[in-house]
Each structure stands twice: as structure tokens, then as C-alpha cells.
Amino acid sequence: MALFAAALPNAVVLRPVTNMYSRASEDADVVSQAIYGANVAVLEQKDGWAHIRTADDYTGWTPLTALLPGKPYATSGRVGEVQSLFAHIYREANVTRHAPLLTVPFETRLEVVAEPADLPRWLQVRLPDDRSGWLQAGDVAFDVKPLDVAGMLALSRRFLGLPYTWGGTSSFGYDCSGFAQMLCRRRGINLPRDAQPQADWSGARPVERADLAPGDLLYFGSSDKHITHTGVYLGDGKFIDATTHETPMVRIDDLNDPYWTKLLVAMRRLKQGEAK
């Protein structure tokens, strides 16, 4: 713990996905998550727990064992970003000799240290704890550019069937606002983490149902001040969302379904990238 105290306030996440709790206990509710290699700020620590802040300005408690204190990771040099839903990292450039060292989710950023010409399928990476690892080049991309609306909606369908996970922010399982936030992030837009703040955000403007366009954000609840769910409009009355309704997963729903129609309370269009 002395090492950690000396390194405040920066740390890197060492688990594929680490839960962030409302208080320093695994008996508490999960408020969000942070993924492998993410750089977080440590605000406080006590009893083996760290109160952290993630890049989206969200805070929660996570075990100190999930973190490594020290300098930021994957912020410079050759950095690859996982584009597969999941990527295995191996101890050597071979998928059969050993089990993966770990499996990381979509959007994980990794420091690439070698791209051997004699192993064109493979990339060598330096992990946050200085271990060496190998992953297949097809799992990552470099210099990832923001998507347009059509590209974002095409991407969204890759996640169909993933489990709904309360507090989830990764391809291991999203909650509704975490899924919408991720899709907007792929457009280069930093949407707030939770559904109510998203609907209230100044970076989006209200639209009427008759004017909905693909890529618009839909918000559901008992009123526009009590929002409990969100989805992304696909067009033709359909939207994609991470939901617990009927089947707990990322799925496509029908806005004309009476269940959703009665709960629809707000619709928003992101201002960034909007035609002038």
C-alpha cells in the first residue's frame, strides 16, 4: 500500500473489466466499470479499496488489487485499439501452445512494441504490468477514426446478443446508457455516462418523434425528469438498446410496440457533426 500512496493520483486498470461500486464493498451496487489498460485517477483509498475517476468523469470504488499505480499507459507511441468484441492475449505468438494470458474487451488500448515481419499475423504488446504479450493483428486497429452515423449504426449491430449488465461499459456486458455512450464515443462524442444526464446534456437538442432520424437518442421513463432507459434510433421505427425487457441483452426493439410507446419521454439529436 505504501507504493500506491506514493503514486497517487494515477493508476492503470489491470483486470479485463473492473467493477466500480457505490461504496468500498462488493456488497454495494455497481455504478460503472473500467476496462483493461484504462488510466484512472485515484481520489482516495481505504481498507484495500480505491475511489477512482474514469475518463468520462465518473467515480466509484474498486479494489486496489485491480489497479497498478504509476505512469499512464498507452498514451503515446504505437498504440493499437481492440476492434474485436474480445481479444485473447497470449504469452507467445501461438494460439495452441498455451491458454491466453487474458482476454480483453472491445476498445482496450495496448502498447505495441513489435510487429515482426516473419510473423505478419501477430503483434507484440507491452502490458501495463510490464509483461510481454502477443495478440493477433486482426483484433486491433491503429489510428481509429470517428465514425459517421451510418458507420456507428452498422457497428451497433455487432453487439446484438451480448448480455445486459447493470453498470456495464464493455463488450463483456453493457447497460443501456453504457451502450449508448460507447456508440457515441465511436463518433468522437463524449456523452455523459447515465441516461438522465445524457437526456439533459447541452450537447444534444430535443427532436420530435415525427422528425426522428437514424442515430438519434431515445429516452424512456415515467417523465423526462425520471428517465430509466435509453436506446439509439435505427430508422423505420426500430431502435437498438441494451435492455432487461423480455430478453436481457443488446437487441433491436420496435418503437411502435405499446410497451415502448408509453415510456418514450424524450428524443435527442447530438449537435456535434449535425448539418448546419
Side-chain angles (χ1 to χ4, degrees), residues 151-207:
M152 181 264 285
L153 295 180
L155 171 70
S156 73
R157 294 174 183 268
R158 291 180 54 201
F159 301 89
L160 289 170
L162 289 184
Y164 175 93
T165 302
W166 177 259
T169 64
S170 85
S171 53
F172 281 75
Y174 292 97
D175 65 15
C176 65
S177 56
F179 184 61
Q181 184 194 42
M182 177 276 291
L183 292 177
C184 291
R185 186 163 56 241
R186 305 325 297 167
R187 290 183 59 191
I189 299 171
N190 294 319
L191 196 67
R193 170 66 179 91
D194 291 335
Q196 186 71 58
Q198 289 178 9
D200 296 339
W201 187 45
S202 62
R205 67 176 180 84
V207 291

Side-chain angles (χ1 to χ4, degrees), residues 23-24 54 145 157 201 206 216 255 270:
R23 62 183 190 277
T54 51
K145 299 294 189 294
R157 294 174 183 268
W201 187 45
D216 287 345
L255 198 56
L270 297 169

Side-chain angles (χ1 to χ4, degrees), residues 225-240:
K225 299 303 179 186
H226 293 89
I227 287 169
T228 56
H229 187 65
T230 184
V232 178
Y233 190 62
L234 297 172
D236 297 322
K238 307 293 185 181
F239 67 99
I240 190 167

